[in-house]
Amino acid sequence: MFKKTSLQDWESVVQKQLKTENIYEILSKENLEGITVKPYYDSVAKPLSNLPKVEESTHLVSPYHESSEENIFAFLLNDNVENLQEKVIFVNNKDLAEHISLEESNRYFSLIDVFSDDQKGGLNQQLVKELLAKDFERNICINVSLHQNAGATIVQQLAIALAKTTELTEIFGLQILNKIIFRVAVGGNYFFEIAKIRALKLLFNQFSKEFDLDEIPYIFAETSLRNKSKNDAENNLIRSTLELSAAMIGGADAVFSNDYQLEKSDSVSEEISFKQQIVLAYESIINVFEDAGNGSYYIENLTQQFAEKSWHMFLQIENDGGYCELLKNGSIQKQIFEQAIKEQNWVEEGKIKIIGVNLYPKLEKTKSAAEMYSSGEIKAVRLAEMFE
């Protein structure tokens, strides 16, 4: 058995190594989320029970290619493909959803967002009704990947996910909860993103328990575009591999890798992007674990902090009129804009380091943050655009 190291023992060793009494001033690191991160964890105040996922094994999702039909079992479809058998199909196109021919042996999920994330502040109720009429396992997508790519914090993303859920349940009733699929984008802050996936599970389950239900969210996680560079495909590939790993460890039900070649995408780069998932799944088997982060003091602590902060923000959104109302008056856009500008400034100042962009080599700035963002619009912006 290993001897338990007390916090005092650890502090004593670190003080000697750093040659200072004030070790926390040196080891503390600010983050954009306002989350407290300690340099050492030896326990967690309230251990969480296992956070389950819907799927027994995380689906590894690929864009459709005829050549891959035999060996790949989950596809993201934008166009109709006939005669697919025993596949998991994620429908990514409204027109396709209207005309797709359903095969009994396949499983179908909708990734079509039913909200307009602009100042119209609309929930397309007719689209919701049409999708609910389809024989899909999960009919209604709540998309917060746009918000991540626009610069929203994890807390904002999670609070918005719950606020959108509320809008749906108020109109269509609680029976819609097990028809929802959450689409999230996973960024580069590895442990924070693991905790984000877990916090979404915790929050959605807590939301359902408010109505005496015990629902588990279905989570479709894709790699972020926000931290990717047009001129640095190799580093994009490394970053997206870590993002996929975070999604699987966090317990996503399906993962999808956006092409690491931003402007030169072809069948080869799409295949390589997908095979990142294959390597992670079959070399480390992390796609089969239900809650691989459970028991990690650090991840448990982060999960609970994100859940508490997000729940508080969600309640504030509801008190102020709800997600759609705040879109109409521009409040949501402004909050995300302010956070995105802060993050972009950190990149410009070097507080956030992106290798190949503002570090090794350090590129020259070509755009200002003011040119890249709008306070009245939620739009995807890559951090590297400042230097391209």
Side-chain angles (χ1 to χ4, degrees):
M1 292 291 291
F2 292 104
K3 180 183 177 182
K4 182 175 176 64
T5 301
S6 69
L7 176 60
Q8 291 74 23
D9 292 338
W10 177 84
E11 287 176 332
S12 178
V13 171
V14 176
Q15 285 170 350
K16 290 178 182 177
Q17 291 178 338
L18 296 180
K19 299 179 180 178
T20 179
E21 292 291 321
N22 195 0
I23 60 174
Y24 289 99
E25 183 176 335
I26 296 173
L27 297 176
S28 296
K29 186 178 180 181
E30 186 182 6
N31 61 77
L32 290 164
E33 300 285 345
I35 293 293
T36 301
V37 177
K38 299 187 293 184
Y40 178 84
Y41 292 81
D42 63 351
S43 64
V44 62
K46 299 177 182 178
L48 294 172
S49 57
N50 216 40
L51 299 174
K53 58 185 182 183
V54 177
E55 299 287 357
E56 183 177 344
S57 179
T58 301
H59 290 301
L60 313 178
V61 184
S62 169
Y64 177 78
H65 294 288
E66 187 176 354
S67 60
S68 61
E69 189 173 316
E70 184 176 342
N71 298 316
I72 295 175
F73 302 99
F75 290 112
L76 185 146
L77 290 188
N78 288 296
D79 302 298
N80 195 27
V81 179
E82 296 182 350
N83 302 319
L84 289 176
Q85 298 288 330
E86 297 182 351
K87 304 296 183 185
V88 179
I89 296 172
F90 293 90
V91 179
N92 196 40
N93 181 293
K94 178 184 173 183
D95 293 332
L96 174 59
E98 291 177 0
H99 302 105
I100 192 170
S101 299
L102 304 184
E103 297 285 346
E104 287 186 7
S105 67
N106 296 329
R107 301 173 62 197
Y108 295 87
F109 298 82
S110 171
L111 292 180
I112 302 158
D113 195 358
V114 295
F115 288 86
S116 64
D117 290 298
D118 54 29
Q119 282 198 290
K120 293 179 182 177
L123 167 59
N124 191 332
Q125 295 187 36
Q126 182 58 36
L127 179 57
V128 173
K129 292 175 184 177
E130 291 173 4
L131 290 170
L132 287 173
K134 298 289 182 182
D135 192 19
F136 290 176
E137 287 193 31
R138 297 273 170 162
N139 309 63
I140 307 302
C141 177
I142 290 180
N143 186 354
V144 289
S145 64
L146 168 64
H147 303 80
Q148 192 279 336
N149 281 301
T153 65
I154 288 174
V155 171
Q156 288 172 331
Q157 293 167 52
L158 295 174
I160 287 169
L162 286 184
K164 283 187 170 185
T165 303
T166 300
E167 300 277 356
L168 283 166
T169 55
E170 287 178 347
I171 297 171
F172 296 98
L174 295 173
Q175 63 270 21
I176 204 170
L177 289 179
N178 62 11
K179 294 293 184 180
I180 290 172
I181 178 171
F182 290 95
R183 185 173 188 170
V184 304
V186 179
N189 196 332
Y190 188 69
F191 292 104
F192 277 31
E193 293 293 338
I194 294 173
K196 177 174 83 176
I197 300 291
R198 299 181 79 244
L200 178 53
K201 292 170 180 281
L202 197 62
L203 287 164
F204 184 77
N205 184 251
Q206 178 60 42
F207 178 89
S208 74
K209 284 182 176 178
E210 297 292 320
F211 306 98
D212 298 320
L213 300 173
D214 190 22
E215 296 290 339
I216 302 169
Y218 195 108
I219 301 174
F220 178 98
E222 62 184 312
T223 57
S224 175
L225 295 172
R226 184 151 175 82
N227 60 353
K228 306 303 187 295
S229 170
K230 182 173 67 176
N231 302 317
D232 198 11
E234 290 77 11
N235 276 324
N236 290 344
L237 193 60
I238 294 169
R239 292 185 184 109
S240 58
T241 301
L242 291 170
E243 290 159 8
L244 290 167
S245 171
M248 291 184 195
I249 291 173
D253 295 286
V255 293
F256 177 78
S257 182
N258 287 299
D259 200 318
Y260 70 97
Q261 291 272 22
L262 297 185
E263 294 190 345
K264 300 175 184 177
S265 176
D266 55 29
S267 59
V268 174
S269 61
E270 282 189 355
E271 182 179 1
I272 291 172
S273 296
F274 171 70
K275 285 185 175 177
Q276 294 173 273
Q277 303 171 33
I278 298 291
V279 172
L280 286 168
Y282 291 98
E283 294 296 328
S284 63
I285 326 179
I286 56 175
N287 64 316
V288 302
F289 290 104
E290 188 170 67
D291 187 9
N294 187 276
S296 164
Y297 300 142
Y298 179 39
I299 294 174
E300 291 277 276
N301 184 275
L302 291 178
T303 300
Q304 293 181 54
Q305 285 192 69
F306 279 129
E308 289 167 8
K309 285 178 175 289
S310 301
W311 187 264
H312 178 76
M313 183 178 178
F314 159 64
L315 294 178
Q316 188 62 55
I317 291 173
E318 293 308 300
N319 288 336
D320 292 341
Y323 181 72
C324 290
E325 185 60 36
L326 293 185
L327 274 177
K328 290 174 184 176
N329 66 33
S331 297
I332 295 287
Q333 296 92 318
K334 184 180 179 183
Q335 290 176 33
I336 294 175
F337 167 77
E338 290 172 350
Q339 187 61 37
I341 288 290
K342 186 175 181 180
E343 184 180 22
Q344 192 70 54
N345 289 339
W346 276 32
V347 171
E348 185 178 359
E349 296 163 10
K351 294 173 75 173
I352 294 176
K353 297 176 175 59
I354 306 177
I355 294 174
V357 176
N358 65 351
L359 186 71
Y360 311 130
K362 184 176 181 181
L363 304 180
E364 293 298 320
K365 178 179 164 184
T366 61
K367 295 178 185 175
S368 67
E371 293 175 282
M372 297 167 63
Y373 298 92
S374 168
S375 62
E377 181 182 6
I378 302 174
K379 64 174 183 176
V381 179
R382 291 181 297 104
L383 294 164
E385 289 179 37
M386 175 173 274
F387 305 93
E388 293 175 347

